[in-house]
Every structure is written in structure tokens, then in C-alpha cells.
Amino acid sequence: MKVLVIGGAGYIGSHVVKELMGKGHQVTVFDNLSSGLLQNLFPENDFIAGDILHPEDLDKAFARGFDAFIHLAAFKAAGESMVCPEKYSVNNITGTLNILNAAAAHGCLRMVFSSSAAVFGEPQYLPIDEEHPKNPENYYGYTKLSIEQFMGWYEKLRGLRFAALRYFNAAGYDPEGVLYGLERNPANLLPVIMEAACGKREKLCIFGNDYPTRDGTCIRDYIHVTDLAAAHVLALEYIAEKDKSLTLNLGTGNGITVTEMLEAARRITGQPVKAEYVGRRAGDPAQLTASSKRAKELLGWEPHYSDVDTLIGSTWNAYQKYYAAHK
């Protein structure tokens, strides 16, 4: 298929592009490079420099004719969304409506959307499955849930077929070492640990060590970005073959605590990684894990790289490679 990947120069997007290429699809990347990197682009792919807030950019892109598109261009920092809701309204909601309108106008009616487990809010039971109540606790999660609802309406009114993929914590880097462009201003746990290991950050602050978990720190379901990329491609092929939409949770069902991640990073990197326990962060549930039973049943998807050693080892390799290349 000819696939337009919106946000394809970003962290997750570039891994999705690599997976699509490996499966023989023809890829064009659309990105404004606000967080994406030129380094993440592959010479085999066409690149369109454009912005989802400019409908004319999207119209020109979709006019090229595509069989499907993947949307990975939403802002994703939950904490920031509570301070700057306007930013998330404009980019995530208005930007997505611009994408849907351009796609519908040009008859590109297969879509994979990078959604989030933030649509669920505080877990009422674990692991979280697709039927879990949706009650986002941050504005970022609300925008993702709204986009899922928009897609549902465009399915009814315009014949869109979509896959909404909800996951918690994307982590890791390309195990083959081809992709090693680092995220700008990372806020997620593993990149922060890596910056502390590399001496780019003084220390890791761990928010709370008095949770009702096995070591007092929060438990999260980390999914390797290559496993996520595989799910995006499998979902795209599913909706193309079955002509049916689907919504899936992606996770291992096995959480890793913050302290476990830290201790494994110290072991694998050989660096001391200074850390300090500080007060809890508002809105942080003690534990979040997702059920991927439906993804396995419908797509045959299973995570292969999401063990803690591969998550940390592939990330450490990317950081070492990046800093060696940018000395």
C-alpha cells in the first residue's frame, strides 16, 4: 500500500516507517519537524514538510493519492496539557479534524491512530481492557478520546475505516540500531534515566515511594517502540483486508516499577545513575497495566522486545551512538 505517515519523523513515527518499509509498503512522511528529526528520515521515502494546522498542506499531501494514512502528530505530555489546554485543543483536536477532512476529500479512508491509555483515567480494575470505563484525568487523554469519537462519526458519515491503538508507555529504540535520533526535552522515565547515566542530567527524581506496590514506586506497562510499530502495521493490514474498524489496547500485562527500571539501568549501563525520592505527583495511579488479549486474537500481535533488559539495552545503545556521532 501507499501510506502517508503523519508525524513520521518523530520517535514512534520513525519506527513505524521502518516497519512499514520492512513489510514492503511505499511510505511518504508528512512532518513539521517541531519534534521530529531529519535524522529519522529514510532516503527511500518521500518527505513532505507540512503542518496539520495548515489545511492547504494536508490537501496537497493527500492529493498525491494514498491507500491509507497513520496519524502520530498529536502532542503527548499529560502534565503540559493541564497547564496549556489551548495548545492541545489546537494541535490535537483542530489538527486531527483537518487531517480527517483532507483524507475524506481525497478518498483516503483507511486510518491508524496512535491513541493512548490516558483515555481511561484512574483504573477501576487491572489489567485494563478495551471495555474499561473512559474517564480521562488529564486534558491530553481527553483529546485522544475525542479523536476516537471523531473517527467513529467519520466512519458512519464518510466510510472511514480506522484502528485506534491505546498504549501506556512507549520505550526502547530500534534493536538493529538504525534509528537513534533522541527525543527533544524528554519527560518519560527511561530517557530521563539515560540522561542521568550520560551525565546530561544531575539526577533522576522519583515521584513517590510509598505506593501500595512491591517496592513503593509506581508500576507501569512499558511497550518497546518496535513492538508498537509492528502493531500499527498489523492493524493497517487488518482494516484493509477486513474492511472493519478496530480499537485495541497494547501492553504486556506485566508492569515494571520505577525502582526496578532504575536498578536494571544501573546494571546494564554500568553507571551509578543518581536518584532521589521526592513527593508524589498529582494524578499518578499506583499501577497501570493493559490487557492485549484482543490484539493477540485479532492481529496475532505479541510483544517480542518489551522485556526490561531489551528496553534499557536498546535505549542505552541509541544514546551512546547518538552522543558518539555528535561529539
Side-chain angles (χ1 to χ4, degrees):
M1 286 185 280
K2 289 181 65 179
V3 184
L4 180 66
V5 182
I6 301 171
Y11 166 57
I12 297 175
S14 57
H15 286 81
V16 170
V17 168
K18 183 173 183 285
E19 186 75 16
L20 284 165
M21 292 167 57
K23 297 295 185 181
H25 298 288
Q26 184 179 339
V27 181
T28 297
V29 171
F30 181 100
D31 205 299
N32 68 359
L33 299 177
S34 61
S35 58
L37 304 171
L38 287 172
Q39 177 185 336
N40 286 340
L41 299 173
F42 293 88
E44 302 96 315
N45 304 139
D46 289 337
F47 171 61
I48 301 171
D51 197 305
I52 63 173
L53 300 184
H54 299 156
E56 64 276 13
D57 291 352
L58 289 163
D59 184 67
K60 290 177 183 176
F62 278 103
R64 296 190 181 196
F66 293 97
D67 301 307
F69 67 100
I70 300 179
H71 175 16
L72 300 123
F75 291 148
K76 64 176 186 175
E80 181 188 46
S81 75
M82 299 295 281
V83 179
C84 306
E86 299 84 0
K87 176 180 177 179
Y88 281 69
S89 295
V90 172
N91 186 80
N92 292 11
I93 294 179
T94 304
T96 297
L97 290 172
N98 289 341
I99 292 170
L100 288 169
N101 290 338
H106 291 279
C108 185
L109 298 175
R110 297 180 186 130
M111 172 184 184
V112 177
F113 174 56
S114 176
S115 190
S116 170
V119 302
F120 297 114
E122 181 74 26
Q124 296 185 19
Y125 56 84
L126 293 170
I128 294 175
D129 58 21
E130 288 80 3
E131 280 68 47
H132 187 285
K134 286 84 183 164
N135 186 27
E137 291 196 331
N138 54 65
Y139 192 63
Y140 159 71
Y142 170 77
T143 66
K144 291 281 190 169
L145 182 58
S146 297
I147 291 166
E148 290 188 12
Q149 294 168 345
F150 294 147
M151 293 189 299
W153 277 106
Y154 274 71
E155 178 178 36
K156 294 176 184 176
L157 304 176
R158 290 290 179 264
L160 178 73
R161 297 293 180 264
F162 66 87
L165 305 181
R166 302 167 177 156
Y167 43 90
F168 289 106
N169 297 73
Y173 271 83
D174 174 26
E176 296 177 352
V178 175
L179 292 167
Y180 56 93
L182 303 185
E183 291 185 273
R184 299 170 184 159
N185 304 313
N188 294 335
L189 174 63
L190 194 47
V192 170
I193 290 175
M194 291 296 109
E195 288 190 349
C198 291
K200 300 293 180 181
R201 184 184 293 255
E202 180 189 354
K203 62 185 176 184
L204 166 70
C205 289
I206 299 175
F207 298 100
N209 62 342
D210 58 351
Y211 286 95
T213 61
R214 52 185 174 265
D215 61 23
T217 60
C218 289
I219 294 174
R220 294 294 181 264
D221 199 334
Y222 294 91
I223 302 291
H224 196 285
V225 67
T226 298
D227 289 327
L228 286 178
H232 282 74
V233 178
L234 288 169
L236 177 61
E237 293 171 344
Y238 176 93
I239 60 175
E241 179 185 344
K242 305 288 188 182
D243 193 32
K244 290 169 59 177
S245 297
L246 76 166
T247 298
L248 299 175
N249 293 359
L250 301 175
T252 65
N254 300 310
I256 303 169
T257 73
V258 177
T259 297
E260 287 168 350
M261 190 74 86
L262 171 62
E263 290 176 349
R266 287 169 170 163
R267 169 173 55 83
I268 290 167
T269 66
Q271 302 299 314
V273 189
K274 186 178 178 183
E276 178 184 354
Y277 293 106
V278 297
R280 291 188 184 189
R281 193 167 47 182
D284 271 351
Q287 183 171 347
L288 291 173
T289 55
S291 168
S292 294
K293 182 180 178 182
R294 185 181 292 179
K296 182 176 182 179
E297 290 173 351
L298 295 182
L299 305 182
W301 178 83
E302 291 187 78
H304 297 291
Y305 300 99
S306 296
D307 61 281
V308 67
D309 281 25
T310 303
L311 288 167
I312 294 170
S314 62
T315 307
W316 181 237
N317 288 341
Y319 271 74
Q320 288 184 303
K321 195 167 184 178
Y322 179 86
Y323 286 126
H326 292 83
K327 280 184 177 178

